Amino acid sequence: MLDDARKKEIQELMAVIGRQARAASRPLAMASAERKHAALVSMASTIVARKDEILAANALDLENARETGVAASFLDRLTLSENRVLDMANAIRAIAELPDPVGDIIAEWDRPNGLHIERVRTPLGVIGVIYESRPNVTADAGALCLKAGNAVILRGGSDSLHSSQAIHACLVQGLKDAGLPEHAIQMVPVADRSAVGAMLTGLGGSIDVIVPRGGKSLVARVQNEARVPVFAHLEGLCHVYVDASADLDMARKIIVNAKMRRTGVCGSAETLLIDRKVASTFVAPLIAALRDAGCEVRASEDIRAIVPGLIAATEEDWATEYLDAIISVTLVDGIAGAIDHISTWSSSHTEAVIAEDPAVVERFFAEVDSAILLHNASTQFADGGEFGMGGEIGIATGKMHARGPVGVEQLTSFKYRVRGTGQVRP
Amino acid sequence: MLDDARKKEIQELMAVIGRQARAASRPLAMASAERKHAALVSMASTIVARKDEILAANALDLENARETGVAASFLDRLTLSENRVLDMANAIRAIAELPDPVGDIIAEWDRPNGLHIERVRTPLGVIGVIYESRPNVTADAGALCLKAGNAVILRGGSDSLHSSQAIHACLVQGLKDAGLPEHAIQMVPVADRSAVGAMLTGLGGSIDVIVPRGGKSLVARVQNEARVPVFAHLEGLCHVYVDASADLDMARKIIVNAKMRRTGVCGSAETLLIDRKVASTFVAPLIAALRDAGCEVRASEDIRAIVPGLIAATEEDWATEYLDAIISVTLVDGIAGAIDHISTWSSSHTEAVIAEDPAVVERFFAEVDSAILLHNASTQFADGGEFGMGGEIGIATGKMHARGPVGVEQLTSFKYRVRGTGQVRP
């Protein structure tokens, strides 16, 4: 009974947050670019000014986390340092300097009857962001949503609640300084899991889109349960295909970077496909380069026949996003074989082809249907910043609306403005 | 038990249709523009050649419908004539001549590290179209989806099954003539309602988007139950606001057209808002023009004080899409009052402002968030053909992906192609 009472309390709290967000989204959609810029600049300055408060809040979160005995990687994601706080402020400043997308005319044309039609960018409305322990997501997501004229409801992990609240207070100060509605960036103040459930229903029409930021189990839950659109990717099972026409030195450099630069990011490579035609010359040096870089190699039988002593790959390996210093490797029959393997196992995130033959590249670009395809470049470029979008709230693999890096532009919708001089339809 | 057995049979049938559609979508996504054009041209010719067969099938549907005693408007939607069949063929020819959207580079840019990034249009995949008694939707939807490189699963109303199947056979002949996969355009061959339920679940990942075409109850069911994205509008509760700065003659011409040209279409006006400042000069002539055109007027008290004898509008009228020769009328306090009324009652479909004051127009364009906004033009221009899109599968009011008329371009997604010369990420 106590549980039910608590649940009801959370439902009501979330409904209020939803209504406040929707109410804030209207003036926000009409806010000038200058005002949003001013708010972002003030948020960044406030974060720098309140650095010590943020670090003190973070120390509290870290102490609680250590008491419950979490993994070192978890602690690392949770930990803020003076430099990380300054980076956060700089990221907001970079978002402030991006062009304002709202009001952009995406396309315009004239009709024979004299009507002039414009397709113009508008905010999406209210965005719900559900994330885990990284406190910097609070700043990134809040700033990106504001830049695109959206209200945002932030629901961070309970482990980082103190840190996120300290950062959130700085964002609200920035809104106040610029005369924008305080409810433009709200943070769910409770750790109850039912708050997430409420957000996934869309809070009675108060949330237009949900962005989950975190591990696979969080994203899977959001994708399964959300009753509103979701911008997300479940995993980044990225492939690199090395064609017979590839420059071997370039292939070596790219595959080591694609796998080992950072193994825990969604754009890191998980499977290497090598053209069977060059097995005798390419396999040994590519695998040696990976092993020299500290990577474990799990290989198909035909690869193991060339480089003895490798661990055997099972079918499960082709389906696994390791997010670790491990790679699966197999031979394929040229570009057709590579496309077959990728169609079967890919998560539609990012794939790369290393080749000098333009016909191979064009076929790869035409037939592989993942959000991001690269030629002669590392899969680790799958990132909004690297795409020149000045920041991203995540990478999406759906086919609707946002696909690939989700930057400020992808956080918008559009409407048509039609200018006439008295036209009626015959 | 028999019901359960039948349900299982339908489930299995629909699963097969889904797998066939997904399999067809792959070669279709890579089909050349020429081949899709050839298929469409052949579809149109086959429809003309088989005119008599189509009309005979339609006669059968009409006979069945008359026996069950349906409304005259229903019979009209169901009826094909020689002219309507020829119009259908011509509509397919017009779609054939549209530019092919697949492979279009929507945007491209260079990065400081030399990477060249292209955002390129791709098909969505498999589209499910659920419609009612109009047999011509079979031809329109099949042709539009094919032009955009998508496979389509058509589920028409049981009343038009014979007509739709005769038309569908022509579409399949066109696919065969062009050497495209026959399963690119499939039609659900049974009338069971559980087939619709199966489509709304996405057929185990085989459907990427659902387009409902029909009345409000169909669209509401699809929007509530679909587990995949839906391109639709629930209703078109369109407003016309006549500002004090309007040209009265233009306002009269536009409001009569917006309401009365065709009253059953989603772009017809349902509510007229008149600026209180010009009540004494505008109200009487605008209402006279509507009544002269045969329109019933339901008016607010302040309007009835000016034109005696009008039916009183209740709050329900502001929320009603009449789809008939009826309009609701009220005074508002200038542009701010108009925006208030529209924000409260609009279905986010289409609204028009009649005004000469540019400040009023720009405020209307900035603050009203409907898919289509018109200045000094009739709301009946809310149509893909009128927008120059060469046909539409419907009009959408969601904020994701397709919004406004859903033409060939809106039936696509995109991917990124990144061209490098060996770049690795630092």
Side-chain angles (χ1 to χ4, degrees):
Chain A
M1 288 305 281
L2 193 67
D3 265 13
D4 278 0
R6 177 68 183 163
K7 254 192 196 162
K8 192 154 174 259
E9 205 176 296
I10 301 290
Q11 291 289 338
E12 280 164 13
L13 169 72
M14 295 307 293
V16 170
I17 290 177
R19 280 195 297 275
Q20 288 173 166
R22 180 61 73 201
S25 73
R26 298 212 177 91
L28 209 57
M30 290 174 269
S32 68
E34 292 70 24
R35 207 168 270 265
K36 288 183 281 179
H37 178 271
L40 290 164
V41 168
S42 163
M43 287 173 193
S45 311
T46 310
I47 284 175
V48 174
R50 298 194 193 161
K51 185 170 42 71
D52 295 340
E53 284 171 57
I54 295 170
L55 290 173
N58 187 241
L60 206 58
D61 284 333
L62 285 169
E63 199 183 305
N64 292 340
R66 278 197 204 94
E67 272 172 22
T68 58
V70 295
S73 60
F74 182 94
L75 275 187
D76 177 57
R77 283 195 295 272
L78 180 58
T79 303
L80 291 176
S81 62
E82 187 158 332
N83 273 339
R84 283 185 178 182
V85 174
L86 296 180
D87 284 350
M88 201 153 58
N90 286 332
I92 296 178
R93 285 196 189 102
I95 292 166
E97 299 312 323
L98 292 175
D100 193 292
V102 177
D104 259 11
I105 296 172
I106 310 164
E108 57 183 323
W109 62 96
D110 290 297
R111 297 291 301 148
N113 59 8
L115 288 179
H116 179 73
I117 302 181
E118 298 169 336
R119 189 187 288 144
V120 60
R121 227 180 264 289
T122 61
L124 277 172
V126 179
I127 296 175
V129 182
I130 300 171
Y131 53 106
E132 295 183 327
S133 54
R134 288 182 200 271
N136 63 307
V137 176
T138 311
D140 282 358
L144 282 165
C145 290
L146 178 72
K147 184 77 189 187
N150 299 296
V152 61
I153 300 172
L154 301 166
R155 204 288 183 182
S158 53
D159 306 285
S160 55
L161 195 58
H162 295 100
S163 316
S164 292
Q165 283 181 329
I167 296 163
H168 175 247
C170 301
L171 306 185
V172 171
Q173 187 58 49
L175 292 168
K176 277 188 204 164
D177 291 346
L180 289 175
E182 282 180 48
H183 292 143
I185 304 178
Q186 293 179 92
M187 185 149 180
V188 177
V190 295
D192 303 59
R193 275 176 70 92
S194 64
V196 172
M199 286 176 74
L200 297 182
T201 65
L203 298 177
S206 287
I207 294 183
D208 294 294
V209 58
I210 294 272
V211 181
R213 285 288 303 266
K216 196 174 160 182
S217 65
L218 171 69
V219 177
R221 179 186 171 198
V222 169
Q223 288 186 330
N224 287 331
E225 294 179 22
R227 300 296 293 152
V228 289
V230 174
F231 292 169
H233 68 273
L234 193 59
E235 49 184 16
L237 214 164
C238 307
H239 296 78
V240 176
Y241 166 60
V242 180
D243 185 67
S245 71
D247 174 314
L248 177 57
D249 276 338
M250 187 193 287
R252 185 166 20 203
K253 213 173 50 162
I254 288 176
I255 185 64
V256 171
N257 184 267
K259 177 70 250 186
M260 297 299 290
R261 174 185 160 270
R262 284 180 63 193
T263 57
V265 298
C266 59
S268 70
E270 307 293 2
T271 298
L272 169 62
L273 307 171
I274 303 174
D275 192 342
R276 194 181 304 281
K277 285 196 287 297
V278 287
S280 62
T281 47
F282 278 29
V283 168
L286 290 177
I287 286 180
L290 283 162
R291 296 175 89 181
D292 288 351
C295 186
E296 177 184 317
V297 176
R298 301 192 188 171
S300 61
E301 283 313 310
D302 40 22
I303 295 277
R304 294 174 79 215
I306 299 168
V307 182
L310 295 175
I311 298 164
T314 65
E315 194 163 286
E316 207 190 318
D317 284 294
W318 313 127
T320 300
E321 183 190 27
Y322 301 113
L323 293 173
D324 204 346
I326 308 173
I327 196 166
S328 57
V329 186
T330 185
L331 293 181
V332 292
D333 291 321
I335 178 69
I339 291 169
D340 271 358
H341 184 102
I342 293 171
S343 308
T344 310
W345 300 108
S346 157
S347 62
S348 303
H349 190 294
T350 295
E351 335 287 346
V353 56
I354 317 300
E356 295 301 316
D357 179 348
V360 165
V361 178
E362 294 317 309
R363 187 159 170 204
F364 186 88
F365 274 171
E367 299 192 19
V368 178
D369 191 24
S370 296
I372 301 172
L373 304 176
L374 300 122
H375 168 225
N376 286 355
S378 168
T379 55
Q380 301 242 354
F381 285 112
D383 173 271
E386 292 297 322
F387 268 56
M389 294 175 179
E392 61 166 41
I393 202 166
I395 289 191
T397 51
K399 285 192 179 173
M400 300 294 127
H401 201 90
R403 196 175 193 216
V406 182
V408 166
E409 246 181 44
Q410 287 70 34
L411 293 174
T412 63
S413 181
F414 62 90
K415 64 185 175 188
Y416 291 97
R417 294 192 304 215
V418 184
R419 297 174 193 272
T421 50
Q423 284 84 347
V424 296
R425 191 166 164 193
Chain B
M1 290 303 283
L2 194 66
D3 265 13
D4 278 0
R6 176 68 182 164
K7 253 191 198 163
K8 191 156 176 257
E9 206 177 294
I10 301 289
Q11 291 289 338
E12 280 164 12
L13 169 71
M14 295 306 295
V16 170
I17 290 177
R19 279 195 297 273
Q20 288 171 348
R22 180 61 71 202
S25 74
R26 298 214 176 88
L28 210 58
M30 289 174 268
S32 68
E34 293 72 23
R35 206 168 270 264
K36 286 183 282 180
H37 178 271
L40 291 165
V41 168
S42 163
M43 287 173 192
S45 311
T46 310
I47 284 175
V48 174
R50 298 194 193 163
K51 183 169 47 71
D52 295 339
E53 285 172 56
I54 294 170
L55 290 172
N58 188 241
L60 206 60
D61 283 334
L62 285 169
E63 200 184 303
N64 292 340
R66 278 196 204 92
E67 273 172 22
T68 57
V70 294
S73 60
F74 183 93
L75 274 186
D76 178 58
R77 282 196 295 273
L78 180 57
T79 303
L80 291 177
S81 61
E82 187 159 330
N83 273 339
R84 282 187 177 179
V85 173
L86 297 180
D87 284 350
M88 201 154 58
N90 286 332
I92 296 179
R93 285 196 189 102
I95 292 167
E97 299 313 322
L98 292 175
D100 193 294
V102 177
D104 261 10
I105 296 172
I106 310 164
E108 58 184 320
W109 63 95
D110 290 297
R111 296 292 301 149
N113 60 8
L115 288 179
H116 179 75
I117 302 181
E118 298 168 337
R119 189 188 287 143
V120 60
R121 229 182 262 289
T122 61
L124 277 172
V126 179
I127 296 175
V129 182
I130 299 171
Y131 53 107
E132 296 182 328
S133 55
R134 288 182 199 270
N136 63 308
V137 176
T138 311
D140 282 357
L144 282 166
C145 290
L146 178 72
K147 184 76 189 187
N150 298 296
V152 60
I153 299 172
L154 300 166
R155 205 286 182 182
S158 52
D159 305 284
S160 56
L161 195 59
H162 295 100
S163 318
S164 291
Q165 281 180 330
I167 297 164
H168 176 247
C170 302
L171 306 185
V172 172
Q173 187 58 50
L175 292 168
K176 278 189 203 162
D177 290 346
L180 289 175
E182 283 180 48
H183 292 143
I185 305 179
Q186 294 180 91
M187 186 148 177
V188 177
V190 296
D192 304 61
R193 274 177 70 91
S194 65
V196 172
M199 284 176 75
L200 297 182
T201 64
L203 298 178
S206 286
I207 294 183
D208 294 294
V209 59
I210 294 273
V211 181
R213 285 287 303 266
K216 197 175 157 180
S217 65
L218 170 70
V219 176
R221 180 185 171 199
V222 169
Q223 288 187 330
N224 286 330
E225 295 179 22
R227 297 298 292 153
V228 289
V230 174
F231 291 170
H233 68 273
L234 193 59
E235 49 184 15
L237 214 164
C238 307
H239 296 78
V240 176
Y241 165 60
V242 180
D243 186 68
S245 71
D247 174 316
L248 178 58
D249 278 338
M250 187 194 286
R252 186 165 21 204
K253 213 174 50 165
I254 288 176
I255 185 64
V256 171
N257 184 267
K259 176 70 253 184
M260 297 301 289
R261 175 185 160 270
R262 284 180 63 193
T263 58
V265 297
C266 59
S268 70
E270 308 293 2
T271 298
L272 169 61
L273 307 171
I274 302 174
D275 192 341
R276 193 181 305 279
K277 285 196 286 296
V278 287
S280 62
T281 47
F282 277 28
V283 167
L286 290 177
I287 286 181
L290 283 161
R291 295 176 90 181
D292 289 350
C295 187
E296 177 184 318
V297 175
R298 302 192 186 169
S300 61
E301 284 313 309
D302 40 23
I303 296 277
R304 294 173 79 215
I306 301 168
V307 183
L310 295 174
I311 298 164
T314 65
E315 193 164 287
E316 207 190 318
D317 285 292
W318 313 126
T320 300
E321 183 191 25
Y322 301 113
L323 293 173
D324 204 345
I326 307 171
I327 196 164
S328 56
V329 186
T330 186
L331 293 180
V332 292
D333 291 321
I335 177 69
I339 291 169
D340 271 357
H341 185 103
I342 294 172
S343 309
T344 310
W345 301 107
S346 157
S347 62
S348 303
H349 189 293
T350 296
E351 334 289 345
V353 58
I354 318 298
E356 295 301 314
D357 179 347
V360 166
V361 178
E362 293 317 308
R363 188 160 169 203
F364 187 88
F365 275 172
E367 299 193 19
V368 179
D369 190 25
S370 296
I372 302 172
L373 304 176
L374 301 120
H375 168 225
N376 286 356
S378 169
T379 55
Q380 300 242 354
F381 286 112
D383 173 273
E386 291 298 323
F387 268 56
M389 293 175 179
E392 61 167 40
I393 202 166
I395 289 191
T397 50
K399 286 192 179 172
M400 300 293 127
H401 201 90
R403 195 175 193 215
V406 183
V408 165
E409 245 180 44
Q410 287 70 34
L411 293 173
T412 62
S413 181
F414 61 89
K415 64 185 175 188
Y416 290 97
R417 295 193 302 216
V418 184
R419 298 174 193 272
T421 49
Q423 283 85 344
V424 295
R425 192 167 165 193

